[in-house]
Amino acid sequence: MKAVLMDGFGGAEVLYVGEADKPEPGERQVLIEVAATSVNRPDIVQRLGNYPPPPGESDILGLEVAGTVAELGPGIETLSVGERVIALVGGGGYAEYATAHTGHVMRIPDAMTFEQAACICETYITAYMNLFMLAGLADGETLLLHGGGGGVNTAGLQLCKALAPASRVIVTASPGKVERVRELGADLVIDYQSEDFSAAVHGYTKKAGANVILDHIGGPYLGGNLRSLGVGGRLVLIGVMGGPKAEFNLARLMVKRQRIIGSVLRPRPIAEKAAIVEEFDRVVMPLFATGRIAPLIHEVYPVERVAEAHRAMESSSHFGKLVLAF
Ligand SMILES: NC(=O)c1ccc[n+]([C@@H]2O[C@H](COP(=O)([O-])OP(=O)(O)OC[C@H]3O[C@@H](n4cnc5c(N)ncnc54)[C@H](OP(=O)(O)O)[C@@H]3O)[C@@H](O)[C@H]2O)c1
């Protein structure tokens, strides 16, 4: 089968389209003929050699697929060959065929294209799981999202507005993305290059602070995040784009009864991911089916242009998602 392969670790130039063995579905796995996948920031980190796949997963890049069920492994009764599906995969998404555990597969709403559907699993599940399942974001609370033009955070903003409509969402963005984030429904957009985000959060919340913060910058933002977090607030850390180390005042955390939650999706056990996907399918997928929310596609690339798609993500020129089509 055709797949995106790597000539060692490094820049986007290591990526090329070549031939790989077609995977075989094991117990309770389906084989999916992939129509589209999307680029996620962890793919870049893996390409650089800093995010190895969990044991037993394909070392081909790609954390999600949209396509058609091609074959059923033993023990599956709930899916049929030919169904249009999306799946969260631990690797192997940048290929013509990928296997997925049956509990990590969802049906695609009829009106949705494969390209749109390929943008759901990694970003929307990450946003939903962290904001609602882990941080327990409640309607009426205030959320701070960083990097509002990215895949996870455009998803987080849409989900918050749809599932917790009385909440207020504050978003940081680079200057060129501020207006589009506002159009997406953010209540306050902070240009993080010219403003101190914690001062802006304090001003907007009249010093109460945010109830929940979703952060992927890490070390350099920890101080500002803790200053922005209110009493009883929850800071969820899902990435360390700015660096992994920081110092902070534990006494302040204690007095303000705050929680810092570290979270990853990919290495979780199969059953845990299946439980997350089951809840997501029940709560969030109807929002796509009814058109209440829709994935934001920046650009669709034929898979042969995968290096260009990676360069686009690394330069942060995108708003929303970059899709690879087979
Ligand atoms: N833990 C998990 O399970 C999990 C799962 C998926 C993704 N992630 C992580 O989530 C993050 C986002 O992933 P993604 O796929 O959505 O990537 P993405 O589309 O590239 O989004 C990242 C965003 O961060 C913005 N950004 C960069 N520097 C910033 C700063 N100093 N302050 C605020 N925003 C900044 C970028 O826009 P500008 O450069 O224009 O600001 C970009 O919009 C990554 O760190 C990824 O590793 C974690």
Side-chain angles (χ1 to χ4, degrees), residues 21 43 53 71 82 86 107 158 223 257 265 274 279 307 311 324:
D21 292 338
D43 305 345
E71 206 181 311
I86 49 176
R107 291 186 176 83
Q158 288 182 331
R257 306 188 301 282
L265 178 60
E279 179 171 326
R311 286 190 188 104
L324 299 176

Side-chain angles (χ1 to χ4, degrees), residues 1-323:
M1 66 169 183
K2 197 157 81 169
V4 174
L5 304 175
M6 296 198 296
D7 188 14
F9 297 117
E13 69 282 355
V14 302
L15 301 171
Y16 68 96
V17 175
E19 282 296 313
D21 292 338
K22 186 171 160 183
E24 286 186 14
E27 183 79 20
R28 298 192 54 73
Q29 286 188 334
V30 290
L31 180 72
I32 298 168
E33 183 177 358
V34 178
T37 181
S38 70
V39 180
N40 291 288
R41 187 67 72 156
D43 305 345
I44 310 280
V45 187
Q46 183 171 339
R47 193 204 69 213
L48 289 167
N50 300 326
Y51 192 41
E57 298 291 357
S58 167
D59 58 5
I60 294 173
L61 298 180
L63 300 175
E64 61 187 314
V65 295
T68 311
V69 176
E71 206 181 311
L72 301 177
I76 298 184
E77 284 152 14
T78 48
L79 288 163
S80 321
V81 169
E83 282 195 278
R84 283 165 24 100
V85 293
I86 49 176
L88 190 64
V89 293
Y94 287 17
E96 252 179 315
Y97 290 91
T99 52
H101 189 273
T102 180
H104 305 165
V105 176
M106 295 179 281
R107 291 186 176 83
I108 300 176
D110 290 341
M112 194 173 252
T113 64
F114 284 126
E115 285 82 5
Q116 288 175 308
C119 301
I120 293 177
C121 282
E122 182 67 12
T123 47
Y124 284 88
I125 292 179
T126 294
Y128 177 77
M129 172 185 77
N130 289 298
L131 294 176
F132 293 95
M133 298 177 81
L134 294 183
L137 180 71
D139 204 5
E141 288 196 316
T142 300
L143 167 67
L144 170 63
L145 290 171
H146 288 297
V152 171
N153 292 306
T154 47
L157 174 55
Q158 288 182 331
L159 290 178
C160 186
K161 287 294 165 186
L163 297 172
S167 300
R168 295 184 302 174
V169 189
I170 304 170
V171 184
T172 65
S174 54
K177 296 178 183 173
V178 164
E179 208 40 55
R180 291 195 66 187
V181 174
R182 196 171 285 130
E183 283 163 17
L184 263 188
D187 297 281
L188 175 72
V189 191
I190 304 165
D191 168 356
Y192 70 80
Q193 288 178 8
S194 63
E195 291 176 73
D196 171 351
F197 72 82
S198 58
V201 171
H202 266 242
Y204 183 72
T205 60
K206 301 190 171 56
K207 296 202 172 119
N211 303 102
V212 172
I213 301 176
L214 185 63
D215 179 60
H216 63 285
I217 304 301
Y221 270 20
L222 186 65
N225 278 333
L226 291 176
R227 282 193 297 281
S228 306
L229 200 61
V231 172
R234 291 85 73 198
L235 164 63
V236 191
L237 183 74
I238 62 162
V240 287
M241 263 177 73
K245 296 204 173 152
E247 253 183 36
F248 70 102
N249 186 336
L250 282 166
R252 225 164 92 172
L253 188 82
M254 184 174 68
V255 168
K256 290 174 95 180
R257 306 188 301 282
Q258 296 166 329
R259 277 180 284 156
I260 301 177
I261 304 165
S263 168
V264 284
L265 178 60
R266 186 191 200 184
R268 285 172 190 261
I270 289 173
E272 216 172 295
K273 280 199 272 192
I276 294 164
V277 171
E278 187 278 323
E279 179 171 326
F280 182 89
D281 199 17
R282 189 162 33 82
V283 177
V284 180
M285 287 308 284
L287 300 173
F288 291 112
T290 56
R292 174 76 181 77
I293 59 173
L296 292 169
I297 296 181
H298 181 82
E299 190 161 349
V300 178
Y301 296 83
V303 71
E304 289 72 19
R305 288 172 53 203
V306 57
E308 223 179 295
H310 270 224
R311 286 190 188 104
M313 176 163 279
E314 284 174 287
S315 68
S316 275
S317 54
H318 64 300
F319 190 94
K321 293 288 292 175
L322 302 165
V323 176

